[in-house]
Amino acid sequence: MRFVTPVNTWYAIKLNNITTYLGIGAQEDDVLNNCINWGFNWVQFYGLYTVLGGGTNPNTGNLYTDDLAAFITKTRTVFGINRIGAIMGSGTAGFSLALAYSAAYPNAAFNDYNKENEFWNYPAPGTETFAAWNASMIWLRAQVSSPDFISAYIANPGGAQWGVSEAKDMINSGIDYFETTNYTTYTGPPSNPANAQDVVDDSLKYLAAACITIGATQRFKFNDLMSAEPGFQGPYFTDHGVAGTFAEWRTQYAAINYTGKGRAINTGFNVFSYDDLEAAL
């Protein structure tokens, strides 16, 4: 049964391994049908360095970029998913490829440019310092204007990793949407509230505190990022489905308080990744 996404809520899913099915119509349709049946209205693509770096798609013999443009067009016009994101990593080289693609294929362009590189794990695995990470976001902000936007995955604040000062820099860099992690583990049973989801993400606390230091009207938007991996929330998705998992998060989030909570605007959810969620469900 299809889950109907609430109005004005963004449900994003990260599509991994697109090079394996890009250009194969039946497989593309299977992925997109699952996305809409689960209620997602925003997709983000991994594997774009290969796709946007030039070359021929072995699935079809076409240029990778031509097949990507056809896939994005179908995603929007046939399946009604209009938010399409390019996930890129260290520095700005990947974003330069994504922006060049969007310019070359304006009718099938990206409208979300997503940064995923774990600066908090420097000097591995990225590897990128926070200063370099944030500089890339400032650069990207100068390239991307409304209605297109930029988003970023963040996690693990505190200690020597990052705190309020870095959160302030992130906000000032102009990031439109933060993906704040909720990578809790779930061991069951489903009826035990203690094994539900811990929604108190310290990233939210640091971002909220940074907003307070910036000014009275400063806010930030965030999507709660969940992992459907089996070692994290995969079992919870199995037991509760997408709708039940998101509903439980909303219930728990409404019940907690932290300084500056009113500065945080929850715009929905983000799930990593398609293959893990498919296995869980």
Side-chain angles (χ1 to χ4, degrees), residues 35-58:
C35 287
I36 63 170
N37 287 336
W38 296 331
F40 291 99
N41 53 12
W42 179 352
V43 296
Q44 298 171 319
F45 296 146
Y46 284 117
L48 291 177
Y49 283 93
T50 296
V51 174
L52 301 180
T56 301
N57 183 357

Side-chain angles (χ1 to χ4, degrees), residues 14 44 86-88 95 112-116 151-153 179:
K14 296 181 182 293
Q44 298 171 319
I87 302 172
M88 292 301 182
F95 290 121
D112 165 36
Y113 297 86
N114 179 260
K115 178 81 169 183
E116 183 170 324
S151 57
Y153 156 53
E179 299 168 357

Side-chain angles (χ1 to χ4, degrees), residues 127-183:
T127 64
E128 196 171 37
T129 64
F130 171 75
W133 184 96
N134 202 57
S136 74
M137 301 309 294
I138 294 171
W139 177 89
L140 184 59
R141 176 75 281 165
Q143 316 306 313
V144 177
S145 58
S146 180
D148 299 342
F149 55 91
I150 62 177
S151 57
Y153 156 53
I154 59 171
N156 298 349
Q161 300 173 85
W162 64 276
V164 175
S165 176
E166 290 79 7
K168 183 177 179 181
D169 288 342
M170 292 182 203
I171 292 169
N172 285 333
S173 73
I175 297 169
D176 296 297
Y177 292 87
F178 291 93
E179 299 168 357
T180 57
T181 56
N182 188 24
Y183 279 16

Side-chain angles (χ1 to χ4, degrees), residues 22-24 51 54-68 70 105:
L22 185 64
I24 304 174
V51 174
T56 301
N57 183 357
N59 296 331
T60 64
N62 302 327
L63 289 174
Y64 264 125
T65 49
D66 285 347
D67 284 339
L68 177 63
Y105 297 85

Side-chain angles (χ1 to χ4, degrees), residues 7-31:
V7 176
N8 297 324
T9 301
W10 294 108
Y11 286 178
I13 186 167
K14 296 181 182 293
L15 301 183
N16 52 312
N17 299 323
I18 67 163
T19 56
T20 63
Y21 60 81
L22 185 64
I24 304 174
Q27 292 185 35
E28 292 177 347
D29 292 352
D30 181 63
V31 169

